[in-house]
Amino acid sequence: MSARPMRPRGPTVERCPICGKPASAEEAPFCSSRCREVDLNRWLGGAYRIPGEAVREPGGSDDED
Ligand SMILES: [Zn+2]
């Protein structure tokens, strides 16, 4: 296939709104799935949360999966 995405004049490099790196074609406008999740969590939770950063509550109830 030789179908090209329609682009405006000039090479427009989209940048990840999270970290500022050039966006990935697959994850546009983000650079990675991780930044996509970070942005999603921002919208959903209204707080800046980085996926993977587990917060353990003091008390120690181990009932999570
Ligand atoms: Zn990024």
Side-chain angles (χ1 to χ4, degrees), residues 18-54:
I18 303 300
C19 67
K21 289 181 186 173
S24 144
E26 287 181 3
E27 306 291 344
F30 306 102
C31 72
S32 66
S33 57
R34 209 180 80 161
C35 281
R36 178 195 290 274
E37 279 184 56
V38 171
D39 186 73
L40 190 68
N41 283 327
R42 261 168 140 177
W43 284 100
L44 292 180
Y48 194 88
R49 278 180 62 188
I50 301 178
E53 189 174 344

mmCIF file of all heavy atoms in Angstrom, residues 18-54:
data_model
loop_
_atom_site.group_PDB
_atom_site.id
_atom_site.type_symbol
_atom_site.label_atom_id
_atom_site.label_comp_id
_atom_site.label_asym_id
_atom_site.label_seq_id
_atom_site.Cartn_x
_atom_site.Cartn_y
_atom_site.Cartn_z
ATOM 1 N N ILE A 18 2.768 15.410 26.919
ATOM 2 C CA ILE A 18 3.178 15.000 28.258
ATOM 3 C C ILE A 18 4.652 15.268 28.498
ATOM 4 O O ILE A 18 5.028 15.904 29.473
ATOM 5 C CB ILE A 18 2.884 13.503 28.486
ATOM 6 C CG1 ILE A 18 1.401 13.203 28.257
ATOM 7 C CG2 ILE A 18 3.312 13.069 29.882
ATOM 8 C CD1 ILE A 18 0.476 13.965 29.179
ATOM 9 N N CYS A 19 5.491 14.789 27.618
ATOM 10 C CA CYS A 19 6.924 14.918 27.857
ATOM 11 C C CYS A 19 7.630 15.759 26.800
ATOM 12 O O CYS A 19 8.779 16.115 26.965
ATOM 13 C CB CYS A 19 7.557 13.532 27.955
ATOM 14 S SG CYS A 19 7.535 12.633 26.410
ATOM 15 N N GLY A 20 6.924 16.065 25.699
ATOM 16 C CA GLY A 20 7.505 16.954 24.706
ATOM 17 C C GLY A 20 8.340 16.260 23.643
ATOM 18 O O GLY A 20 8.884 16.913 22.769
ATOM 19 N N LYS A 21 8.425 14.943 23.724
ATOM 20 C CA LYS A 21 9.159 14.224 22.690
ATOM 21 C C LYS A 21 8.322 14.161 21.417
ATOM 22 O O LYS A 21 7.104 14.291 21.473
ATOM 23 C CB LYS A 21 9.445 12.793 23.159
ATOM 24 C CG LYS A 21 10.474 12.716 24.256
ATOM 25 C CD LYS A 21 10.694 11.264 24.617
ATOM 26 C CE LYS A 21 11.611 11.142 25.826
ATOM 27 N NZ LYS A 21 11.712 9.743 26.288
ATOM 28 N N PRO A 22 8.970 13.927 20.279
ATOM 29 C CA PRO A 22 8.217 13.759 19.033
ATOM 30 C C PRO A 22 7.234 12.602 19.163
ATOM 31 O O PRO A 22 7.573 11.552 19.704
ATOM 32 C CB PRO A 22 9.306 13.427 18.011
ATOM 33 C CG PRO A 22 10.550 14.008 18.581
ATOM 34 C CD PRO A 22 10.423 13.904 20.075
ATOM 35 N N ALA A 23 6.015 12.837 18.689
ATOM 36 C CA ALA A 23 4.967 11.832 18.843
ATOM 37 C C ALA A 23 5.216 10.621 17.962
ATOM 38 O O ALA A 23 5.777 10.720 16.878
ATOM 39 C CB ALA A 23 3.622 12.453 18.503
ATOM 40 N N SER A 24 4.796 9.487 18.462
ATOM 41 C CA SER A 24 4.880 8.260 17.685
ATOM 42 C C SER A 24 3.688 8.167 16.753
ATOM 43 O O SER A 24 2.594 8.642 17.071
ATOM 44 C CB SER A 24 4.912 7.064 18.637
ATOM 45 O OG SER A 24 4.216 5.973 18.085
ATOM 46 N N ALA A 25 3.879 7.568 15.590
ATOM 47 C CA ALA A 25 2.779 7.458 14.628
ATOM 48 C C ALA A 25 1.647 6.627 15.211
ATOM 49 O O ALA A 25 0.475 6.895 14.979
ATOM 50 C CB ALA A 25 3.280 6.835 13.339
ATOM 51 N N GLU A 26 2.018 5.612 15.961
ATOM 52 C CA GLU A 26 1.000 4.716 16.518
ATOM 53 C C GLU A 26 0.279 5.325 17.706
ATOM 54 O O GLU A 26 -0.901 5.061 17.928
ATOM 55 C CB GLU A 26 1.661 3.402 16.950
ATOM 56 C CG GLU A 26 2.062 2.536 15.792
ATOM 57 C CD GLU A 26 2.681 1.228 16.261
ATOM 58 O OE1 GLU A 26 2.724 1.009 17.480
ATOM 59 O OE2 GLU A 26 3.122 0.464 15.406
ATOM 60 N N GLU A 27 0.997 6.115 18.470
ATOM 61 C CA GLU A 27 0.417 6.630 19.709
ATOM 62 C C GLU A 27 0.089 8.113 19.634
ATOM 63 O O GLU A 27 -0.187 8.736 20.647
ATOM 64 C CB GLU A 27 1.380 6.375 20.873
ATOM 65 C CG GLU A 27 1.802 4.937 21.015
ATOM 66 C CD GLU A 27 0.664 4.054 21.455
ATOM 67 O OE1 GLU A 27 -0.356 4.577 21.930
ATOM 68 O OE2 GLU A 27 0.785 2.830 21.311
ATOM 69 N N ALA A 28 0.163 8.687 18.431
ATOM 70 C CA ALA A 28 -0.084 10.112 18.267
ATOM 71 C C ALA A 28 -1.373 10.541 18.972
ATOM 72 O O ALA A 28 -2.350 9.795 18.948
ATOM 73 C CB ALA A 28 -0.165 10.462 16.789
ATOM 74 N N PRO A 29 -1.403 11.705 19.587
ATOM 75 C CA PRO A 29 -0.302 12.666 19.589
ATOM 76 C C PRO A 29 0.720 12.429 20.687
ATOM 77 O O PRO A 29 1.524 13.310 20.972
ATOM 78 C CB PRO A 29 -1.041 13.992 19.823
ATOM 79 C CG PRO A 29 -2.167 13.609 20.733
ATOM 80 C CD PRO A 29 -2.556 12.209 20.317
ATOM 81 N N PHE A 30 0.700 11.260 21.257
ATOM 82 C CA PHE A 30 1.659 10.974 22.322
ATOM 83 C C PHE A 30 2.863 10.229 21.761
ATOM 84 O O PHE A 30 2.823 9.711 20.652
ATOM 85 C CB PHE A 30 0.997 10.162 23.427
ATOM 86 C CG PHE A 30 -0.253 10.806 23.941
ATOM 87 C CD1 PHE A 30 -1.486 10.351 23.544
ATOM 88 C CD2 PHE A 30 -0.175 11.885 24.799
ATOM 89 C CE1 PHE A 30 -2.652 10.955 23.994
ATOM 90 C CE2 PHE A 30 -1.332 12.496 25.268
ATOM 91 C CZ PHE A 30 -2.571 12.034 24.861
ATOM 92 N N CYS A 31 3.923 10.158 22.560
ATOM 93 C CA CYS A 31 5.138 9.502 22.090
ATOM 94 C C CYS A 31 5.109 8.025 22.426
ATOM 95 O O CYS A 31 5.810 7.231 21.827
ATOM 96 C CB CYS A 31 6.366 10.162 22.711
ATOM 97 S SG CYS A 31 6.560 9.799 24.460
ATOM 98 N N SER A 32 4.285 7.653 23.389
ATOM 99 C CA SER A 32 4.247 6.258 23.808
ATOM 100 C C SER A 32 2.926 5.972 24.497
ATOM 101 O O SER A 32 2.195 6.884 24.873
ATOM 102 C CB SER A 32 5.395 5.971 24.765
ATOM 103 O OG SER A 32 5.205 6.698 25.958
ATOM 104 N N SER A 33 2.649 4.684 24.665
ATOM 105 C CA SER A 33 1.402 4.308 25.328
ATOM 106 C C SER A 33 1.418 4.762 26.780
ATOM 107 O O SER A 33 0.382 4.985 27.393
ATOM 108 C CB SER A 33 1.195 2.801 25.247
ATOM 109 O OG SER A 33 2.287 2.120 25.815
ATOM 110 N N ARG A 34 2.599 4.900 27.329
ATOM 111 C CA ARG A 34 2.688 5.312 28.721
ATOM 112 C C ARG A 34 2.229 6.760 28.888
ATOM 113 O O ARG A 34 1.455 7.082 29.786
ATOM 114 C CB ARG A 34 4.122 5.160 29.234
ATOM 115 C CG ARG A 34 4.144 4.893 30.718
ATOM 116 C CD ARG A 34 5.546 4.745 31.227
ATOM 117 N NE ARG A 34 6.179 6.042 31.416
ATOM 118 C CZ ARG A 34 7.243 6.236 32.164
ATOM 119 N NH1 ARG A 34 7.791 5.229 32.784
ATOM 120 N NH2 ARG A 34 7.766 7.430 32.278
ATOM 121 N N CYS A 35 2.690 7.611 27.990
ATOM 122 C CA CYS A 35 2.285 9.002 28.067
ATOM 123 C C CYS A 35 0.794 9.126 27.777
ATOM 124 O O CYS A 35 0.112 9.967 28.320
ATOM 125 C CB CYS A 35 3.096 9.843 27.089
ATOM 126 S SG CYS A 35 4.744 10.215 27.719
ATOM 127 N N ARG A 36 0.293 8.255 26.920
ATOM 128 C CA ARG A 36 -1.137 8.262 26.630
ATOM 129 C C ARG A 36 -1.923 7.955 27.913
ATOM 130 O O ARG A 36 -2.937 8.586 28.212
ATOM 131 C CB ARG A 36 -1.449 7.197 25.573
ATOM 132 C CG ARG A 36 -2.923 7.111 25.252
ATOM 133 C CD ARG A 36 -3.219 5.833 24.512
ATOM 134 N NE ARG A 36 -2.684 5.836 23.161
ATOM 135 C CZ ARG A 36 -3.335 6.353 22.124
ATOM 136 N NH1 ARG A 36 -4.511 6.890 22.276
ATOM 137 N NH2 ARG A 36 -2.805 6.326 20.937
ATOM 138 N N GLU A 37 -1.440 6.995 28.655
ATOM 139 C CA GLU A 37 -2.119 6.630 29.900
ATOM 140 C C GLU A 37 -2.021 7.750 30.928
ATOM 141 O O GLU A 37 -2.966 8.013 31.658
ATOM 142 C CB GLU A 37 -1.500 5.352 30.473
ATOM 143 C CG GLU A 37 -2.030 4.111 29.801
ATOM 144 C CD GLU A 37 -1.466 2.859 30.445
ATOM 145 O OE1 GLU A 37 -1.619 2.703 31.660
ATOM 146 O OE2 GLU A 37 -0.872 2.052 29.725
ATOM 147 N N VAL A 38 -0.882 8.389 30.962
ATOM 148 C CA VAL A 38 -0.701 9.492 31.897
ATOM 149 C C VAL A 38 -1.713 10.584 31.607
ATOM 150 O O VAL A 38 -2.367 11.108 32.501
ATOM 151 C CB VAL A 38 0.726 10.066 31.795
ATOM 152 C CG1 VAL A 38 0.834 11.355 32.605
ATOM 153 C CG2 VAL A 38 1.730 9.044 32.298
ATOM 154 N N ASP A 39 -1.876 10.893 30.316
ATOM 155 C CA ASP A 39 -2.823 11.926 29.932
ATOM 156 C C ASP A 39 -4.245 11.500 30.258
ATOM 157 O O ASP A 39 -5.061 12.277 30.740
ATOM 158 C CB ASP A 39 -2.689 12.199 28.434
ATOM 159 C CG ASP A 39 -3.561 13.379 28.023
ATOM 160 O OD1 ASP A 39 -3.199 14.512 28.353
ATOM 161 O OD2 ASP A 39 -4.605 13.147 27.395
ATOM 162 N N LEU A 40 -4.536 10.229 30.022
ATOM 163 C CA LEU A 40 -5.865 9.712 30.289
ATOM 164 C C LEU A 40 -6.179 9.810 31.784
ATOM 165 O O LEU A 40 -7.257 10.240 32.188
ATOM 166 C CB LEU A 40 -5.939 8.251 29.834
ATOM 167 C CG LEU A 40 -7.333 7.641 29.822
ATOM 168 C CD1 LEU A 40 -8.199 8.279 28.753
ATOM 169 C CD2 LEU A 40 -7.260 6.144 29.585
ATOM 170 N N ASN A 41 -5.220 9.417 32.587
ATOM 171 C CA ASN A 41 -5.424 9.470 34.028
ATOM 172 C C ASN A 41 -5.612 10.895 34.519
ATOM 173 O O ASN A 41 -6.331 11.149 35.476
ATOM 174 C CB ASN A 41 -4.219 8.839 34.749
ATOM 175 C CG ASN A 41 -4.270 7.324 34.676
ATOM 176 O OD1 ASN A 41 -5.336 6.738 34.684
ATOM 177 N ND2 ASN A 41 -3.122 6.700 34.604
ATOM 178 N N ARG A 42 -4.962 11.816 33.841
ATOM 179 C CA ARG A 42 -5.116 13.224 34.193
ATOM 180 C C ARG A 42 -6.576 13.636 34.042
ATOM 181 O O ARG A 42 -7.142 14.310 34.877
ATOM 182 C CB ARG A 42 -4.279 14.084 33.253
ATOM 183 C CG ARG A 42 -2.967 14.497 33.850
ATOM 184 C CD ARG A 42 -2.145 15.075 32.740
ATOM 185 N NE ARG A 42 -1.407 16.247 33.171
ATOM 186 C CZ ARG A 42 -0.551 16.903 32.381
ATOM 187 N NH1 ARG A 42 -0.342 16.488 31.167
ATOM 188 N NH2 ARG A 42 0.080 17.946 32.810
ATOM 189 N N TRP A 43 -7.148 13.211 32.927
ATOM 190 C CA TRP A 43 -8.532 13.589 32.642
ATOM 191 C C TRP A 43 -9.495 12.858 33.557
ATOM 192 O O TRP A 43 -10.469 13.409 34.040
ATOM 193 C CB TRP A 43 -8.873 13.283 31.186
ATOM 194 C CG TRP A 43 -8.279 14.277 30.253
ATOM 195 C CD1 TRP A 43 -7.140 14.120 29.509
ATOM 196 C CD2 TRP A 43 -8.754 15.591 29.974
ATOM 197 N NE1 TRP A 43 -6.902 15.254 28.796
ATOM 198 C CE2 TRP A 43 -7.867 16.171 29.039
ATOM 199 C CE3 TRP A 43 -9.857 16.333 30.419
ATOM 200 C CZ2 TRP A 43 -8.050 17.466 28.552
ATOM 201 C CZ3 TRP A 43 -10.037 17.618 29.921
ATOM 202 C CH2 TRP A 43 -9.144 18.164 29.001
ATOM 203 N N LEU A 44 -9.225 11.588 33.761
ATOM 204 C CA LEU A 44 -10.150 10.786 34.546
ATOM 205 C C LEU A 44 -10.096 11.127 36.027
ATOM 206 O O LEU A 44 -11.129 11.234 36.684
ATOM 207 C CB LEU A 44 -9.829 9.294 34.364
ATOM 208 C CG LEU A 44 -10.115 8.741 32.976
ATOM 209 C CD1 LEU A 44 -9.753 7.265 32.926
ATOM 210 C CD2 LEU A 44 -11.578 8.926 32.603
ATOM 211 N N GLY A 45 -8.910 11.277 36.528
ATOM 212 C CA GLY A 45 -8.779 11.468 37.962
ATOM 213 C C GLY A 45 -8.569 12.910 38.367
ATOM 214 O O GLY A 45 -8.738 13.270 39.521
ATOM 215 N N GLY A 46 -8.217 13.739 37.380
ATOM 216 C CA GLY A 46 -7.980 15.130 37.697
ATOM 217 C C GLY A 46 -6.667 15.323 38.437
ATOM 218 O O GLY A 46 -6.341 16.399 38.882
ATOM 219 N N ALA A 47 -5.916 14.264 38.551
ATOM 220 C CA ALA A 47 -4.634 14.345 39.235
ATOM 221 C C ALA A 47 -3.558 13.723 38.373
ATOM 222 O O ALA A 47 -3.829 12.847 37.555
ATOM 223 C CB ALA A 47 -4.700 13.626 40.573
ATOM 224 N N TYR A 48 -2.374 14.174 38.560
ATOM 225 C CA TYR A 48 -1.270 13.668 37.763
ATOM 226 C C TYR A 48 -0.758 12.381 38.386
ATOM 227 O O TYR A 48 -0.110 12.373 39.407
ATOM 228 C CB TYR A 48 -0.163 14.708 37.716
ATOM 229 C CG TYR A 48 0.863 14.425 36.658
ATOM 230 C CD1 TYR A 48 0.685 14.895 35.367
ATOM 231 C CD2 TYR A 48 1.999 13.696 36.968
ATOM 232 C CE1 TYR A 48 1.633 14.645 34.389
ATOM 233 C CE2 TYR A 48 2.943 13.438 36.000
ATOM 234 C CZ TYR A 48 2.760 13.916 34.716
ATOM 235 O OH TYR A 48 3.689 13.671 33.747
ATOM 236 N N ARG A 49 -1.101 11.265 37.729
ATOM 237 C CA ARG A 49 -0.651 9.976 38.253
ATOM 238 C C ARG A 49 0.151 9.243 37.206
ATOM 239 O O ARG A 49 -0.269 9.131 36.059
ATOM 240 C CB ARG A 49 -1.845 9.115 38.665
ATOM 241 C CG ARG A 49 -2.369 9.479 40.037
ATOM 242 C CD ARG A 49 -3.546 8.606 40.382
ATOM 243 N NE ARG A 49 -3.181 7.190 40.431
ATOM 244 C CZ ARG A 49 -4.092 6.221 40.565
ATOM 245 N NH1 ARG A 49 -5.358 6.513 40.644
ATOM 246 N NH2 ARG A 49 -3.722 4.982 40.615
ATOM 247 N N ILE A 50 1.270 8.729 37.597
ATOM 248 C CA ILE A 50 2.094 7.964 36.676
ATOM 249 C C ILE A 50 1.805 6.485 36.851
ATOM 250 O O ILE A 50 1.949 5.951 37.945
ATOM 251 C CB ILE A 50 3.584 8.236 36.935
ATOM 252 C CG1 ILE A 50 3.854 9.727 36.751
ATOM 253 C CG2 ILE A 50 4.439 7.397 36.006
ATOM 254 C CD1 ILE A 50 5.287 10.106 37.027
ATOM 255 N N PRO A 51 1.355 5.829 35.777
ATOM 256 C CA PRO A 51 1.062 4.397 35.865
ATOM 257 C C PRO A 51 2.314 3.616 36.242
ATOM 258 O O PRO A 51 3.380 3.863 35.726
ATOM 259 C CB PRO A 51 0.594 4.030 34.461
ATOM 260 C CG PRO A 51 0.953 5.170 33.589
ATOM 261 C CD PRO A 51 1.109 6.370 34.456
ATOM 262 N N GLY A 52 2.146 2.687 37.120
ATOM 263 C CA GLY A 52 3.284 1.883 37.528
ATOM 264 C C GLY A 52 3.780 2.285 38.902
ATOM 265 O O GLY A 52 4.450 1.529 39.584
ATOM 266 N N GLU A 53 3.404 3.483 39.297
ATOM 267 C CA GLU A 53 3.825 3.942 40.615
ATOM 268 C C GLU A 53 2.791 3.512 41.649
ATOM 269 O O GLU A 53 1.778 4.173 41.851
ATOM 270 C CB GLU A 53 3.957 5.463 40.610
ATOM 271 C CG GLU A 53 4.591 5.976 41.879
ATOM 272 C CD GLU A 53 4.849 7.470 41.787
ATOM 273 O OE1 GLU A 53 4.829 8.024 40.675
ATOM 274 O OE2 GLU A 53 5.041 8.075 42.837
ATOM 275 N N ALA A 54 3.045 2.411 42.254
ATOM 276 C CA ALA A 54 2.098 1.865 43.216
ATOM 277 C C ALA A 54 2.220 2.572 44.551
ATOM 278 O O ALA A 54 3.308 2.730 45.082
ATOM 279 C CB ALA A 54 2.341 0.385 43.396
#
